[in-house]
Amino acid sequence: MTLFPEMIEAVLGGSIIGRGREAGLIEIHAHHIRDYTPDKHGRTDDYPYGGGQGMLMQCEPLYRCHQAITGGEHVHTVMMSAQGAAFDQNKAKELLARDRFIIVCGHYEGVDRRFIDKYVDEEISLGDFVLTGGEVAAMAVADAVCRMVPGVLAETAGFEDESYYSGLLEYPQYTRPEVWQDMHVPDVLLSGHHENIRKWRRKQSLLLTRERRPDLFEKLELTKEDKKLLEE
């Protein structure tokens, strides 16, 4: 649900997500909130009661858009909001488990709280910063979820090895040439020894996570092998 559907289509209509849509693996519909306003001038916002700067999105256009999508049935509804819980990979997995869900993109100075209280199931934030609208954040959430749909990526390893999916940051990666500006690819990656490569990658992920994201590292349940790799 957005005031700028062209933004959504411009980003989620291309690349991997776009191909997933073309293949029928996922469906993304950008519903234009302005199409549902009863105001003859297409207005969807008004001044906030009690004064203050900026404008607020009105309940009625949001409600009508929401009803058109759901048909009056309950569909899990997410509101992109600075007041929401921080989005992470676990939340992406939770949303992936749903057959469908709605993302509401706020704009202006926010949304009339009555719509949120009655029709929004959870509020999600991308982090402690401010955006001009919810579209960029909503597209990030949609991308993070849709890329995990089976078949969208060529292999599940395409996302299971990546940062955050398993609670670890991703290990360093290299491609050709073998030597670039006097910097060499680590010998273990050229060895062809798959077990040693696996251990090296695991060790690098552990070290990077411990160094750069100690908050994530503290949550890990280290295996005996993990502890041995860290001792080396």
Side-chain angles (χ1 to χ4, degrees):
M1 293 172 53
T2 173
L3 289 173
F4 300 95
E6 67 278 5
M7 289 179 62
I8 307 299
E9 289 300 333
V11 174
L12 298 181
S15 190
I16 292 171
I17 303 301
R19 291 196 293 272
R21 293 172 71 181
E22 291 175 1
L25 299 170
I26 50 179
E27 290 186 25
I28 299 172
H29 304 279
H31 298 269
H32 198 337
I33 297 168
R34 203 175 301 281
D35 290 341
Y36 299 91
T37 179
D39 184 82
K40 64 180 181 181
H41 301 295
R43 187 170 185 173
T44 61
D45 63 322
D46 211 330
Y47 294 101
Y49 282 120
Q53 295 182 345
M55 309 289 278
L56 287 179
M57 293 181 70
Q58 298 171 301
C59 287
E60 191 64 18
L62 290 163
Y63 164 73
R64 292 187 179 198
C65 182
H66 194 264
Q67 289 295 108
I69 298 170
T70 65
E73 298 180 359
H74 178 262
V75 177
H76 188 79
T77 301
V78 173
M79 175 86 192
M80 302 311 304
S81 167
Q83 299 174 11
F87 183 69
D88 59 17
Q89 194 66 37
N90 286 331
K91 176 55 66 177
K93 292 177 188 177
E94 286 181 25
L95 293 174
L96 176 67
R98 299 184 178 278
D99 289 333
R100 62 194 292 227
F101 62 94
I102 297 169
I103 304 179
V104 182
C105 302
H107 219 74
Y108 308 118
E109 286 300 310
V111 171
D112 188 311
R113 188 71 208 181
R114 291 170 292 185
F115 173 79
I116 299 173
D117 289 343
K118 190 161 185 179
Y119 294 103
V120 172
D121 295 294
E122 62 176 326
E123 296 176 68
I124 292 177
S125 169
L126 282 195
D128 299 333
F129 54 90
V130 180
L131 297 169
T132 55
E135 283 74 18
V136 171
M139 288 187 285
V141 169
D143 185 285
V145 174
C146 289
R147 69 195 306 275
M148 292 190 292
V149 171
V152 172
L153 295 182
E155 299 178 7
T156 57
F159 60 80
E160 289 178 352
D161 285 344
E162 291 175 335
S163 294
Y164 306 115
Y165 188 88
S166 63
L168 286 169
L169 299 185
E170 188 177 11
Y171 47 80
Q173 299 204 65
Y174 305 83
T175 187
R176 296 178 181 178
E178 185 178 324
V179 180
W180 180 77
Q181 294 191 3
D182 294 329
M183 292 184 287
H184 294 250
V185 173
D187 290 339
V188 65
L189 299 179
L190 306 174
S191 68
H193 195 298
H194 297 298
E195 179 62 12
N196 287 347
I197 292 171
R198 183 194 66 80
K199 288 182 178 180
W200 181 88
R201 286 175 169 170
R202 180 71 180 181
K203 180 179 179 180
Q204 295 304 311
S205 288
L206 289 165
L207 291 173
L208 279 171
T209 306
R210 186 173 68 179
E211 176 186 346
R212 300 184 183 181
R213 290 295 304 273
D215 56 318
L216 292 178
F217 188 81
E218 289 178 3
K219 298 176 184 178
L220 293 174
E221 294 184 8
L222 298 177
T223 65
K224 289 183 179 179
E225 181 186 67
D226 291 338
K227 294 175 182 178
K228 182 178 180 181
L229 290 171
L230 288 169
E231 288 173 359
E232 292 178 357

